[in-house]
Amino acid sequence: MSVADTISRPYAQAIFEIAIENNTIEEWKQILIFIKVLATYKKVRNFLSGSLSSEYLSSIFITIGGGIINKNAENLIKLLSEHQRFNISNNILEQFLKLEAFHKKIMFVELRSAFSLKERNISKVRKILERFFLRKIKFTCKVDPKILDGMIIKVNNTVFDLSTQNHLKQLSNALNF
């Protein structure tokens, strides 16, 4: 886990708690996307270098945000500006989306295979994982030419290596080759 993730976690947690309390998850998601996008513009990044006062910088974000910025979002922008944390706005958004997925009992899974899988194969894997984790599964499928056959499934920090290379490696280790 990166330092930015560690720093962004309390921000995302506090925002998510406010969003749950006020039933405004979608609104907060849009606010965080706005902050992230605005902070990535080249001219705005120049402002983030510390040359402007935190009050002026936060007023820029609040003014541009206009209608989507509520009082709580104003406070967040002022806090990010005061502590020069706009550089972690993407991490805050990612952490917020993870909390939302957990709240909705959704799990994101990366599935890598040697070739593009058919929907029925993905569906079979989805059913197995949903029974195992008791959550809805959303896949990110990737083709990885390094895998000769089989697949590698990554769920959070757990990796299920179902590739042929892994099976051969285990067999080799078992036979002491």
Side-chain angles (χ1 to χ4, degrees), residues 74-171:
E74 276 186 33
N75 291 337
L76 171 66
I77 289 170
K78 289 175 183 176
L79 190 64
L80 292 174
S81 179
E82 185 178 316
H83 296 286
Q84 298 180 348
R85 299 276 197 223
F86 282 110
N87 61 330
I88 63 165
S89 58
N90 186 49
N91 301 78
I92 294 171
L93 175 61
E94 287 176 9
Q95 295 286 333
F96 182 87
L97 294 174
K98 285 179 184 178
L99 290 167
E100 178 191 23
F102 184 79
H103 178 71
K104 291 181 176 179
K105 297 190 178 207
I106 297 172
M107 185 173 280
F108 293 97
V109 174
E110 179 183 307
L111 190 143
R112 291 185 294 140
S113 62
F115 47 87
S116 187
L117 296 173
K118 295 181 179 175
E119 185 55 42
R120 65 186 161 122
N121 295 351
I122 294 172
S123 181
K124 286 179 185 178
V125 174
R126 178 179 285 116
K127 286 179 185 175
I128 292 168
L129 292 176
E130 284 178 348
R131 273 189 264 133
F132 185 77
F133 289 109
L134 300 174
R135 296 191 172 278
K136 290 181 184 176
I137 301 295
K138 290 197 176 184
F139 281 111
T140 303
C141 298
K142 297 180 181 179
V143 175
D144 187 349
K146 295 176 189 170
I147 302 171
L148 297 176
D149 194 25
M151 66 181 76
I152 299 174
I153 301 170
K154 183 177 178 194
V155 181
N156 296 330
N157 295 328
T158 305
V159 176
F160 300 97
D161 190 343
L162 308 171
S163 66
T164 303
Q165 294 100 315
N166 186 47
H167 290 296
L168 291 173
K169 184 176 159 186
Q170 289 177 0
L171 182 61

